[in-house]
Amino acid sequence: MASVPVKIEDGDRWAVAKVSIEKDGLKASGDVTLDIPYRSIIDLEAKGNVLIITTKERENQPYRLASVEKVLNVLKRQILLSCSAYRLSTFFMSPAIRGGVLVQNAVWEKGGIAVLKSGIWFFSQDHQICVPLSDVASIELTTREVQGKDLDVVKIDHIEDTDVVTSFVLCPLTTLQVLYNFLKESTKSMDMDGAELDPKSAQVAMLVYSGMDTAAIENMLAISHKEVDRVYDALIGLGLAEVVVIRREIKLTTKGVRYITDATKV
């Protein structure tokens, strides 16, 4: 049994405490008490130096623990090894590709994968990496060269900031198929049947994905700004896009026109 220093959110304050990492759960006593059985944990999130732990009994009021990175890593790994989640022992590489470019020094790590309520966690002795389910763009079975052999892997693409990031999971093929099916089911809410977009909207979405801005799309497709706005509204309404910049359109006043004409006189 080990004890680690943390701060536990208690109403409108953060209470200093020592959390015992026990065989069946996390416990603390004193100024603030804590008793979290591992098997009751259904979700785990890490935001900065705060760990958010959701249990079956407290889905709407999760526990919040703050500490230094080293302590949080110990807590995360113990929770991921023991919590109520779909979990497998695997080799993984995450991130492997970022923005279409191989990540420098990316290596296969021996550890596990745990699928919780809000995210897919990769964890090893040294790392704990979360891919939010809401950011998963695609999951597929494919092959990848590992030590000179083409092996079956699960490929997971997700959005991080504006980049597409790829992770790979490697385990025996029969287990891999089960993992793939479970991950597809876990991210089913993100699927579309392909019939929601008309051809023009699908074309615009593809150009946005390729990195084109609004002006370039208008020129490429020879369509008006109003038509692009209509497509954008449709994409936003379907949850396929979000507004990042609102473009301001202006026209010159009489004073502005006079200034330009005077400035351009020879």
Side-chain angles (χ1 to χ4, degrees), residues 67-92:
S67 192
V68 297
E69 182 180 0
K70 184 176 181 180
V71 168
L72 294 183
N73 287 345
V74 171
L75 291 172
K76 283 187 289 186
R77 186 169 185 274
Q78 184 62 41
I79 290 170
L80 292 170
L81 283 169
S82 310
C83 69
S84 178
Y86 177 86
R87 183 171 44 252
L88 284 173
S89 295
T90 65
F91 287 89
F92 66 87

PDB file of all heavy atoms in Angstrom, residues 67-92:
ATOM      1  N   SER A  67      -2.729  17.145  -8.209  1.00  0.00           N
ATOM      2  CA  SER A  67      -1.400  16.847  -7.683  1.00  0.00           C
ATOM      3  C   SER A  67      -0.374  17.088  -8.781  1.00  0.00           C
ATOM      4  O   SER A  67      -0.703  17.575  -9.869  1.00  0.00           O
ATOM      5  CB  SER A  67      -1.323  15.397  -7.185  1.00  0.00           C
ATOM      6  OG  SER A  67      -0.139  15.187  -6.441  1.00  0.00           O
ATOM      7  N   VAL A  68       0.867  16.743  -8.506  1.00  0.00           N
ATOM      8  CA  VAL A  68       1.932  16.889  -9.501  1.00  0.00           C
ATOM      9  C   VAL A  68       1.817  15.749 -10.518  1.00  0.00           C
ATOM     10  O   VAL A  68       1.163  14.728 -10.281  1.00  0.00           O
ATOM     11  CB  VAL A  68       3.318  16.878  -8.838  1.00  0.00           C
ATOM     12  CG1 VAL A  68       3.459  18.059  -7.902  1.00  0.00           C
ATOM     13  CG2 VAL A  68       3.554  15.564  -8.095  1.00  0.00           C
ATOM     14  N   GLU A  69       2.473  15.924 -11.658  1.00  0.00           N
ATOM     15  CA  GLU A  69       2.358  14.970 -12.758  1.00  0.00           C
ATOM     16  C   GLU A  69       2.738  13.545 -12.353  1.00  0.00           C
ATOM     17  O   GLU A  69       2.055  12.581 -12.707  1.00  0.00           O
ATOM     18  CB  GLU A  69       3.227  15.419 -13.932  1.00  0.00           C
ATOM     19  CG  GLU A  69       3.124  14.513 -15.152  1.00  0.00           C
ATOM     20  CD  GLU A  69       4.002  14.976 -16.295  1.00  0.00           C
ATOM     21  OE1 GLU A  69       4.697  15.999 -16.137  1.00  0.00           O
ATOM     22  OE2 GLU A  69       3.996  14.315 -17.347  1.00  0.00           O
ATOM     23  N   LYS A  70       3.810  13.396 -11.600  1.00  0.00           N
ATOM     24  CA  LYS A  70       4.290  12.069 -11.210  1.00  0.00           C
ATOM     25  C   LYS A  70       3.239  11.319 -10.400  1.00  0.00           C
ATOM     26  O   LYS A  70       2.993  10.126 -10.619  1.00  0.00           O
ATOM     27  CB  LYS A  70       5.583  12.191 -10.419  1.00  0.00           C
ATOM     28  CG  LYS A  70       6.223  10.860 -10.049  1.00  0.00           C
ATOM     29  CD  LYS A  70       7.555  11.071  -9.348  1.00  0.00           C
ATOM     30  CE  LYS A  70       8.202   9.736  -8.999  1.00  0.00           C
ATOM     31  NZ  LYS A  70       9.514   9.941  -8.315  1.00  0.00           N
ATOM     32  N   VAL A  71       2.580  12.018  -9.471  1.00  0.00           N
ATOM     33  CA  VAL A  71       1.543  11.395  -8.648  1.00  0.00           C
ATOM     34  C   VAL A  71       0.331  11.042  -9.495  1.00  0.00           C
ATOM     35  O   VAL A  71      -0.231   9.943  -9.378  1.00  0.00           O
ATOM     36  CB  VAL A  71       1.139  12.333  -7.491  1.00  0.00           C
ATOM     37  CG1 VAL A  71      -0.131  11.822  -6.800  1.00  0.00           C
ATOM     38  CG2 VAL A  71       2.277  12.452  -6.489  1.00  0.00           C
ATOM     39  N   LEU A  72      -0.078  11.952 -10.373  1.00  0.00           N
ATOM     40  CA  LEU A  72      -1.249  11.696 -11.216  1.00  0.00           C
ATOM     41  C   LEU A  72      -1.007  10.500 -12.135  1.00  0.00           C
ATOM     42  O   LEU A  72      -1.923   9.710 -12.394  1.00  0.00           O
ATOM     43  CB  LEU A  72      -1.595  12.938 -12.032  1.00  0.00           C
ATOM     44  CG  LEU A  72      -2.073  14.156 -11.239  1.00  0.00           C
ATOM     45  CD1 LEU A  72      -2.456  15.286 -12.193  1.00  0.00           C
ATOM     46  CD2 LEU A  72      -3.249  13.803 -10.347  1.00  0.00           C
ATOM     47  N   ASN A  73       0.221  10.345 -12.625  1.00  0.00           N
ATOM     48  CA  ASN A  73       0.535   9.199 -13.483  1.00  0.00           C
ATOM     49  C   ASN A  73       0.376   7.878 -12.726  1.00  0.00           C
ATOM     50  O   ASN A  73      -0.120   6.887 -13.267  1.00  0.00           O
ATOM     51  CB  ASN A  73       1.958   9.322 -14.029  1.00  0.00           C
ATOM     52  CG  ASN A  73       2.082  10.383 -15.095  1.00  0.00           C
ATOM     53  OD1 ASN A  73       1.082  10.852 -15.647  1.00  0.00           O
ATOM     54  ND2 ASN A  73       3.296  10.789 -15.393  1.00  0.00           N
ATOM     55  N   VAL A  74       0.800   7.863 -11.473  1.00  0.00           N
ATOM     56  CA  VAL A  74       0.648   6.663 -10.646  1.00  0.00           C
ATOM     57  C   VAL A  74      -0.835   6.349 -10.443  1.00  0.00           C
ATOM     58  O   VAL A  74      -1.276   5.195 -10.575  1.00  0.00           O
ATOM     59  CB  VAL A  74       1.342   6.851  -9.277  1.00  0.00           C
ATOM     60  CG1 VAL A  74       1.004   5.696  -8.335  1.00  0.00           C
ATOM     61  CG2 VAL A  74       2.853   6.947  -9.462  1.00  0.00           C
ATOM     62  N   LEU A  75      -1.626   7.375 -10.134  1.00  0.00           N
ATOM     63  CA  LEU A  75      -3.058   7.182  -9.908  1.00  0.00           C
ATOM     64  C   LEU A  75      -3.754   6.719 -11.190  1.00  0.00           C
ATOM     65  O   LEU A  75      -4.589   5.798 -11.159  1.00  0.00           O
ATOM     66  CB  LEU A  75      -3.690   8.485  -9.404  1.00  0.00           C
ATOM     67  CG  LEU A  75      -3.300   8.926  -7.994  1.00  0.00           C
ATOM     68  CD1 LEU A  75      -3.852  10.318  -7.715  1.00  0.00           C
ATOM     69  CD2 LEU A  75      -3.812   7.926  -6.958  1.00  0.00           C
ATOM     70  N   LYS A  76      -3.435   7.342 -12.302  1.00  0.00           N
ATOM     71  CA  LYS A  76      -4.070   6.974 -13.573  1.00  0.00           C
ATOM     72  C   LYS A  76      -3.795   5.515 -13.923  1.00  0.00           C
ATOM     73  O   LYS A  76      -4.709   4.774 -14.292  1.00  0.00           O
ATOM     74  CB  LYS A  76      -3.576   7.888 -14.705  1.00  0.00           C
ATOM     75  CG  LYS A  76      -4.196   9.269 -14.700  1.00  0.00           C
ATOM     76  CD  LYS A  76      -3.806  10.082 -15.928  1.00  0.00           C
ATOM     77  CE  LYS A  76      -2.369  10.510 -15.893  1.00  0.00           C
ATOM     78  NZ  LYS A  76      -2.024  11.416 -17.023  1.00  0.00           N
ATOM     79  N   ARG A  77      -2.535   5.110 -13.810  1.00  0.00           N
ATOM     80  CA  ARG A  77      -2.177   3.743 -14.171  1.00  0.00           C
ATOM     81  C   ARG A  77      -2.900   2.732 -13.276  1.00  0.00           C
ATOM     82  O   ARG A  77      -3.421   1.714 -13.760  1.00  0.00           O
ATOM     83  CB  ARG A  77      -0.663   3.538 -14.085  1.00  0.00           C
ATOM     84  CG  ARG A  77      -0.211   2.172 -14.592  1.00  0.00           C
ATOM     85  CD  ARG A  77       1.299   2.109 -14.729  1.00  0.00           C
ATOM     86  NE  ARG A  77       1.681   0.835 -15.314  1.00  0.00           N
ATOM     87  CZ  ARG A  77       1.882  -0.277 -14.613  1.00  0.00           C
ATOM     88  NH1 ARG A  77       1.730  -0.267 -13.288  1.00  0.00           N
ATOM     89  NH2 ARG A  77       2.229  -1.404 -15.214  1.00  0.00           N
ATOM     90  N   GLN A  78      -2.957   2.997 -11.974  1.00  0.00           N
ATOM     91  CA  GLN A  78      -3.623   2.076 -11.059  1.00  0.00           C
ATOM     92  C   GLN A  78      -5.113   1.982 -11.365  1.00  0.00           C
ATOM     93  O   GLN A  78      -5.704   0.898 -11.369  1.00  0.00           O
ATOM     94  CB  GLN A  78      -3.415   2.540  -9.612  1.00  0.00           C
ATOM     95  CG  GLN A  78      -3.993   1.602  -8.565  1.00  0.00           C
ATOM     96  CD  GLN A  78      -3.351   0.232  -8.594  1.00  0.00           C
ATOM     97  OE1 GLN A  78      -2.130   0.116  -8.757  1.00  0.00           O
ATOM     98  NE2 GLN A  78      -4.152  -0.826  -8.459  1.00  0.00           N
ATOM     99  N   ILE A  79      -5.729   3.112 -11.650  1.00  0.00           N
ATOM    100  CA  ILE A  79      -7.159   3.121 -11.980  1.00  0.00           C
ATOM    101  C   ILE A  79      -7.419   2.363 -13.282  1.00  0.00           C
ATOM    102  O   ILE A  79      -8.341   1.547 -13.369  1.00  0.00           O
ATOM    103  CB  ILE A  79      -7.670   4.570 -12.077  1.00  0.00           C
ATOM    104  CG1 ILE A  79      -7.701   5.224 -10.685  1.00  0.00           C
ATOM    105  CG2 ILE A  79      -9.063   4.616 -12.707  1.00  0.00           C
ATOM    106  CD1 ILE A  79      -7.968   6.713 -10.716  1.00  0.00           C
ATOM    107  N   LEU A  80      -6.597   2.624 -14.299  1.00  0.00           N
ATOM    108  CA  LEU A  80      -6.806   1.976 -15.599  1.00  0.00           C
ATOM    109  C   LEU A  80      -6.603   0.463 -15.518  1.00  0.00           C
ATOM    110  O   LEU A  80      -7.228  -0.296 -16.253  1.00  0.00           O
ATOM    111  CB  LEU A  80      -5.858   2.586 -16.639  1.00  0.00           C
ATOM    112  CG  LEU A  80      -6.161   4.045 -17.003  1.00  0.00           C
ATOM    113  CD1 LEU A  80      -5.034   4.628 -17.849  1.00  0.00           C
ATOM    114  CD2 LEU A  80      -7.486   4.156 -17.744  1.00  0.00           C
ATOM    115  N   LEU A  81      -5.745   0.021 -14.625  1.00  0.00           N
ATOM    116  CA  LEU A  81      -5.509  -1.413 -14.442  1.00  0.00           C
ATOM    117  C   LEU A  81      -6.650  -2.116 -13.716  1.00  0.00           C
ATOM    118  O   LEU A  81      -6.809  -3.338 -13.840  1.00  0.00           O
ATOM    119  CB  LEU A  81      -4.211  -1.641 -13.657  1.00  0.00           C
ATOM    120  CG  LEU A  81      -2.899  -1.470 -14.414  1.00  0.00           C
ATOM    121  CD1 LEU A  81      -1.730  -1.457 -13.438  1.00  0.00           C
ATOM    122  CD2 LEU A  81      -2.723  -2.589 -15.441  1.00  0.00           C
ATOM    123  N   SER A  82      -7.465  -1.334 -12.972  1.00  0.00           N
ATOM    124  CA  SER A  82      -8.415  -1.975 -12.063  1.00  0.00           C
ATOM    125  C   SER A  82      -9.860  -1.519 -12.203  1.00  0.00           C
ATOM    126  O   SER A  82     -10.748  -2.116 -11.593  1.00  0.00           O
ATOM    127  CB  SER A  82      -7.974  -1.719 -10.608  1.00  0.00           C
ATOM    128  OG  SER A  82      -6.615  -2.023 -10.413  1.00  0.00           O
ATOM    129  N   CYS A  83     -10.129  -0.470 -12.968  1.00  0.00           N
ATOM    130  CA  CYS A  83     -11.472   0.107 -12.997  1.00  0.00           C
ATOM    131  C   CYS A  83     -12.448  -0.748 -13.813  1.00  0.00           C
ATOM    132  O   CYS A  83     -12.071  -1.737 -14.449  1.00  0.00           O
ATOM    133  CB  CYS A  83     -11.430   1.520 -13.568  1.00  0.00           C
ATOM    134  SG  CYS A  83     -11.034   1.585 -15.330  1.00  0.00           S
ATOM    135  N   SER A  84     -13.714  -0.340 -13.777  1.00  0.00           N
ATOM    136  CA  SER A  84     -14.757  -1.026 -14.529  1.00  0.00           C
ATOM    137  C   SER A  84     -14.719  -0.545 -15.974  1.00  0.00           C
ATOM    138  O   SER A  84     -15.284   0.490 -16.321  1.00  0.00           O
ATOM    139  CB  SER A  84     -16.129  -0.732 -13.911  1.00  0.00           C
ATOM    140  OG  SER A  84     -17.154  -1.343 -14.640  1.00  0.00           O
ATOM    141  N   ALA A  85     -14.008  -1.268 -16.823  1.00  0.00           N
ATOM    142  CA  ALA A  85     -13.838  -0.849 -18.215  1.00  0.00           C
ATOM    143  C   ALA A  85     -13.519  -2.058 -19.073  1.00  0.00           C
ATOM    144  O   ALA A  85     -13.074  -3.101 -18.579  1.00  0.00           O
ATOM    145  CB  ALA A  85     -12.705   0.166 -18.331  1.00  0.00           C
ATOM    146  N   TYR A  86     -13.758  -1.922 -20.387  1.00  0.00           N
ATOM    147  CA  TYR A  86     -13.283  -2.925 -21.336  1.00  0.00           C
ATOM    148  C   TYR A  86     -11.771  -2.731 -21.435  1.00  0.00           C
ATOM    149  O   TYR A  86     -11.288  -1.650 -21.767  1.00  0.00           O
ATOM    150  CB  TYR A  86     -13.946  -2.725 -22.693  1.00  0.00           C
ATOM    151  CG  TYR A  86     -13.452  -3.688 -23.748  1.00  0.00           C
ATOM    152  CD1 TYR A  86     -14.021  -4.951 -23.873  1.00  0.00           C
ATOM    153  CD2 TYR A  86     -12.408  -3.339 -24.594  1.00  0.00           C
ATOM    154  CE1 TYR A  86     -13.559  -5.846 -24.836  1.00  0.00           C
ATOM    155  CE2 TYR A  86     -11.945  -4.226 -25.556  1.00  0.00           C
ATOM    156  CZ  TYR A  86     -12.515  -5.478 -25.664  1.00  0.00           C
ATOM    157  OH  TYR A  86     -12.049  -6.345 -26.614  1.00  0.00           O
ATOM    158  N   ARG A  87     -11.006  -3.777 -21.156  1.00  0.00           N
ATOM    159  CA  ARG A  87      -9.557  -3.624 -21.031  1.00  0.00           C
ATOM    160  C   ARG A  87      -8.861  -4.826 -21.659  1.00  0.00           C
ATOM    161  O   ARG A  87      -9.293  -5.962 -21.518  1.00  0.00           O
ATOM    162  CB  ARG A  87      -9.184  -3.481 -19.558  1.00  0.00           C
ATOM    163  CG  ARG A  87      -7.737  -3.251 -19.271  1.00  0.00           C
ATOM    164  CD  ARG A  87      -7.491  -2.894 -17.800  1.00  0.00           C
ATOM    165  NE  ARG A  87      -8.259  -3.741 -16.889  1.00  0.00           N
ATOM    166  CZ  ARG A  87      -9.313  -3.307 -16.192  1.00  0.00           C
ATOM    167  NH1 ARG A  87      -9.727  -2.064 -16.290  1.00  0.00           N
ATOM    168  NH2 ARG A  87      -9.970  -4.120 -15.384  1.00  0.00           N
ATOM    169  N   LEU A  88      -7.744  -4.547 -22.353  1.00  0.00           N
ATOM    170  CA  LEU A  88      -6.936  -5.594 -22.971  1.00  0.00           C
ATOM    171  C   LEU A  88      -5.458  -5.291 -22.783  1.00  0.00           C
ATOM    172  O   LEU A  88      -5.058  -4.128 -22.767  1.00  0.00           O
ATOM    173  CB  LEU A  88      -7.212  -5.678 -24.476  1.00  0.00           C
ATOM    174  CG  LEU A  88      -8.499  -6.331 -24.964  1.00  0.00           C
ATOM    175  CD1 LEU A  88      -8.605  -6.135 -26.475  1.00  0.00           C
ATOM    176  CD2 LEU A  88      -8.522  -7.806 -24.618  1.00  0.00           C
ATOM    177  N   SER A  89      -4.666  -6.342 -22.684  1.00  0.00           N
ATOM    178  CA  SER A  89      -3.213  -6.190 -22.731  1.00  0.00           C
ATOM    179  C   SER A  89      -2.807  -6.137 -24.201  1.00  0.00           C
ATOM    180  O   SER A  89      -3.211  -6.997 -24.990  1.00  0.00           O
ATOM    181  CB  SER A  89      -2.524  -7.369 -22.046  1.00  0.00           C
ATOM    182  OG  SER A  89      -2.817  -7.384 -20.664  1.00  0.00           O
ATOM    183  N   THR A  90      -2.054  -5.121 -24.579  1.00  0.00           N
ATOM    184  CA  THR A  90      -1.703  -4.918 -25.983  1.00  0.00           C
ATOM    185  C   THR A  90      -0.324  -4.287 -26.093  1.00  0.00           C
ATOM    186  O   THR A  90       0.284  -3.873 -25.108  1.00  0.00           O
ATOM    187  CB  THR A  90      -2.689  -3.964 -26.685  1.00  0.00           C
ATOM    188  OG1 THR A  90      -2.574  -2.661 -26.089  1.00  0.00           O
ATOM    189  CG2 THR A  90      -4.112  -4.445 -26.591  1.00  0.00           C
ATOM    190  N   PHE A  91       0.140  -4.198 -27.337  1.00  0.00           N
ATOM    191  CA  PHE A  91       1.212  -3.281 -27.695  1.00  0.00           C
ATOM    192  C   PHE A  91       0.530  -2.111 -28.410  1.00  0.00           C
ATOM    193  O   PHE A  91      -0.425  -2.311 -29.155  1.00  0.00           O
ATOM    194  CB  PHE A  91       2.224  -3.944 -28.627  1.00  0.00           C
ATOM    195  CG  PHE A  91       3.116  -4.947 -27.949  1.00  0.00           C
ATOM    196  CD1 PHE A  91       2.726  -6.275 -27.852  1.00  0.00           C
ATOM    197  CD2 PHE A  91       4.335  -4.560 -27.411  1.00  0.00           C
ATOM    198  CE1 PHE A  91       3.542  -7.201 -27.218  1.00  0.00           C
ATOM    199  CE2 PHE A  91       5.161  -5.485 -26.788  1.00  0.00           C
ATOM    200  CZ  PHE A  91       4.756  -6.807 -26.687  1.00  0.00           C
ATOM    201  N   PHE A  92       1.012  -0.900 -28.169  1.00  0.00           N
ATOM    202  CA  PHE A  92       0.421   0.243 -28.847  1.00  0.00           C
ATOM    203  C   PHE A  92       1.505   1.249 -29.218  1.00  0.00           C
ATOM    204  O   PHE A  92       2.594   1.269 -28.636  1.00  0.00           O
ATOM    205  CB  PHE A  92      -0.643   0.930 -27.967  1.00  0.00           C
ATOM    206  CG  PHE A  92      -0.106   1.586 -26.726  1.00  0.00           C
ATOM    207  CD1 PHE A  92       0.357   2.906 -26.763  1.00  0.00           C
ATOM    208  CD2 PHE A  92      -0.057   0.898 -25.522  1.00  0.00           C
ATOM    209  CE1 PHE A  92       0.854   3.509 -25.617  1.00  0.00           C
ATOM    210  CE2 PHE A  92       0.435   1.503 -24.365  1.00  0.00           C
ATOM    211  CZ  PHE A  92       0.896   2.822 -24.415  1.00  0.00           C
TER     212      PHE A  92
END
